[in-house]
Structure formats: C-alpha cells, structure tokens
Amino acid sequence: MEHPGTHLVIEEPRASRRIEITMRKPWFALYGFVRPTLVIAGRTQPVQWGLGTWRVPADEAVSFGAFLFNRLWRFGQAELVLEPEHPPAIEYRAPVLPFVRGRMRAVTEIG
C-alpha cells in the first residue's frame, strides 16, 4: 500500500567529461613555496603544479579559475569558461611577478 506523499525519485546519472588541467610555474619566479588554488564552478581546492584531471558535466559550460596565495595576498588570478564544444584541456600559466595576473586558456593538446 502506497502512503500519500511518499514518492521514490531516481535521478539519472549526468553525462560527464574529463578535463585535463596543467598548472605551470615559471622556471624563475620572484616568489617561492607557493602552490596554486583551482576554482571549478565556484568551488576552491588546493592543487599541485603539473597535470591533473577533473570530471565536469559534459553538457554545460563550466567556469574555471586559478590563483596563488602567499599568506599576504592573492595574485596570479586567471579565469576561463569552458564550453562543451571546447577541447577538454586547460593550461594555467602563473606569472613571474607576485602582483601580475596569470593566464588560462583552452588548449588542443597538453605538452
């Protein structure tokens, strides 16, 4: 017997895709021991320099951002909105100077 007001809702799994993100630090930078922070759809997470992969929805645009933090201020900010038709790879390049913006771009090939 079904009770009024009780319904079982089953959500279909969303289609997703993997995005490769390469975090590049300049070989010479006027700051040290700084790790990047990645922002995906408004959620921040500390990351390492180099290549990482993340799963995002396949059918919608997703905002990406990155910044560096040295206990005094944030710097090196960069943002990008990745559309579903864009290649699934992003590159972030940190600045040499600790008061300049970084660069983020969609790339067709990491390497």
Side-chain angles (χ1 to χ4, degrees):
M1 179 176 186
E2 186 176 318
H3 297 287
T6 59
H7 299 283
L8 180 62
V9 177
I10 300 174
E11 291 186 24
E12 292 292 323
R14 293 186 67 181
S16 64
R17 65 180 179 149
R18 286 198 172 277
I19 304 298
E20 289 186 345
I21 302 176
T22 301
M23 307 297 282
R24 296 194 187 276
K25 182 179 180 183
W27 67 272
F28 175 77
L30 294 179
Y31 52 88
F33 307 107
V34 174
R35 291 199 175 133
T37 298
L38 185 63
V39 183
I40 301 176
R43 300 183 76 178
T44 62
Q45 52 189 306
V47 295
Q48 300 290 326
W49 296 108
L51 179 65
T53 61
W54 283 264
R55 189 176 297 272
V56 298
D59 58 349
E60 63 186 54
V62 179
S63 64
F64 289 87
F67 65 88
L68 307 173
F69 183 73
N70 70 355
R71 294 189 183 198
L72 299 175
W73 69 87
R74 285 170 50 154
F75 66 97
Q77 288 97 335
E79 298 86 23
L80 171 77
V81 174
L82 196 68
E83 300 288 342
E85 64 273 7
H86 287 149
I90 296 174
E91 178 181 72
Y92 169 76
R93 288 194 177 268
V96 173
L97 302 172
F99 50 82
V100 179
R101 292 185 61 83
R103 293 181 296 155
M104 185 175 276
R105 66 186 181 105
V107 294
T108 55
E109 189 174 300
I110 295 288

